[in-house]
């Protein structure tokens, strides 16, 4: 990657899933980049993975931090940052918080809060395929627009949910997170993505810093 001086001016538009705004490495990346390149304006947009990919392809974003599988979409380049996994979120005052389950089968009759497939198809399909292999189908009764909304609904006692383990980085009172082996085995790769052919020293520097921080 090309290294430029700190007086390099410009703008970088970055998409971040709402789940990752409080992840320490992401915060370090945004703060570190701004500190090293103070004359580059950093515009941050909270978008789920699906909308991020659309905006990357359309030129509306320079880079995005997204959940994706190991097959980079056409027109997109990406670098693997880390491998996340899934975790169970339950209301802090619920039965499950006091007597945590050890298998998903124990949750067969429990009401779930879920997300819509359209806002992050790869993430959604990866979860569904994993549950299918385990012969588990959550009993979904409520839907939320993103993971923070879903977690707020869980905190309100509307049900339990399964979310990325990175969600624990967000300060969310009223939630108890529970690790289950069946969820830990479902990897959720987190990628830094950008549009192929987007040649920019500002973007190159950001990619290089992301690699340094996450590796």
């Amino acid at each position: 990657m090309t290294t430029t001086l700190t007086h390099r001016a410009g703008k970088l538009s970055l998409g971040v899933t709402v789940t990752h705004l409080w992840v320490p490495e992401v915060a370090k990346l945004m703060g570190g980049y701004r500190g090293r390149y103070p004359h580059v304006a950093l515009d941050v947009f909270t978008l789920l993975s699906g909308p991020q990919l659309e905006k990357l392809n359309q030129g509306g974003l320079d880079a995005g931090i997204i959940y994706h599988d190991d097959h980079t979409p056409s027109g997109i380049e990406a670098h693997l940052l880390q491998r996340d996994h899934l975790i169970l979120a339950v209301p802090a005052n619920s039965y499950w918080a006091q007597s945590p389950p050890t298998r998903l089968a124990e949750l067969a009759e429990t009401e779930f809060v879920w997300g819509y497939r359209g806002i992050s198809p790869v993430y959604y399909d990866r979860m569904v395929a994993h549950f299918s292999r385990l012969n588990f189908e959550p009993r979904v009764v409520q839907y939320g627009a993103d993971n923070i909304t879903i977690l707020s609904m869980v905190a309100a006692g509307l049900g339990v949910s399964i979310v990325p383990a990175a969600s624990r980085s967000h300060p969310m009172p009223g939630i108890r997170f529970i690790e289950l082996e069946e969820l830990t085995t479902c990897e959720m790769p987190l990628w830094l993505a950008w549009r192929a052919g987007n040649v920019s020293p500002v973007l190159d520097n950001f990619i290089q810093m992301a690699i340094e921080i996450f590796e």
Side-chain angles (χ1 to χ4, degrees):
M1 298 296 172
T2 303
T3 301
T4 63
L5 299 176
T6 57
H7 63 258
R8 169 76 65 179
K11 184 176 74 171
L12 180 81
S13 57
L14 172 68
V16 183
T17 61
V18 68
T19 298
H20 291 92
L21 285 175
W22 288 268
V23 170
E25 292 87 350
V26 174
K28 183 178 180 181
L29 172 60
M30 292 191 296
Y33 184 80
R34 179 62 177 167
R36 187 179 297 179
Y37 306 105
H39 297 288
V40 176
L42 184 62
D43 292 346
V44 180
F45 301 89
T46 54
L47 296 167
L48 294 172
S49 298
Q52 281 195 56
L53 284 172
E54 291 178 10
K55 285 189 172 295
L56 285 170
N57 276 312
Q58 295 166 1
L61 288 176
D62 294 309
I65 295 176
I66 64 172
Y67 282 119
H68 213 273
D69 56 24
D70 294 331
H71 303 286
T72 306
S74 176
I76 297 293
E77 295 184 32
H79 177 83
L80 179 64
L81 297 177
Q82 64 183 23
R83 294 191 181 276
D84 199 2
H85 62 274
L86 298 176
I87 196 169
L88 177 67
V90 304
N93 61 355
S94 68
Y95 165 81
W96 292 119
Q98 306 305 316
S99 301
T102 58
R103 300 289 303 277
L104 288 174
E106 298 175 51
L107 302 168
E109 301 302 319
T110 303
E111 295 184 345
F112 275 80
V113 183
W114 217 244
Y116 298 101
R117 181 184 182 277
I119 57 179
S120 192
V122 172
Y123 169 80
Y124 186 98
D125 290 347
R126 198 176 186 91
M127 280 204 306
V128 170
H130 183 73
F131 296 149
S132 178
R133 290 190 291 270
L134 298 172
N135 294 315
F136 174 71
E137 184 175 353
R139 181 171 168 250
V140 178
V141 297
Q142 308 280 348
Y143 286 88
D146 53 49
N147 282 325
I148 299 303
T149 303
I150 289 170
L151 287 172
S152 69
M153 295 169 73
V154 172
L158 300 184
V160 306
S161 192
I162 293 171
V163 296
S167 301
R168 289 177 294 190
S169 299
H170 184 276
M172 181 67 71
I175 296 285
R176 165 84 184 276
F177 291 104
I178 301 171
E179 292 270 5
L180 295 180
E181 184 178 354
E182 290 172 322
L183 296 180
T184 303
T185 56
C186 183
E187 284 193 347
M188 288 290 175
L190 184 67
W191 297 79
L192 177 65
W194 60 95
R195 190 175 74 259
N198 184 3
V199 180
S200 164
V202 169
L203 175 60
D204 284 352
N205 289 332
F206 187 83
I207 295 169
Q208 182 59 46
M209 182 170 285
I211 293 173
E212 292 171 4
I213 288 174
F214 278 88
E215 295 185 354

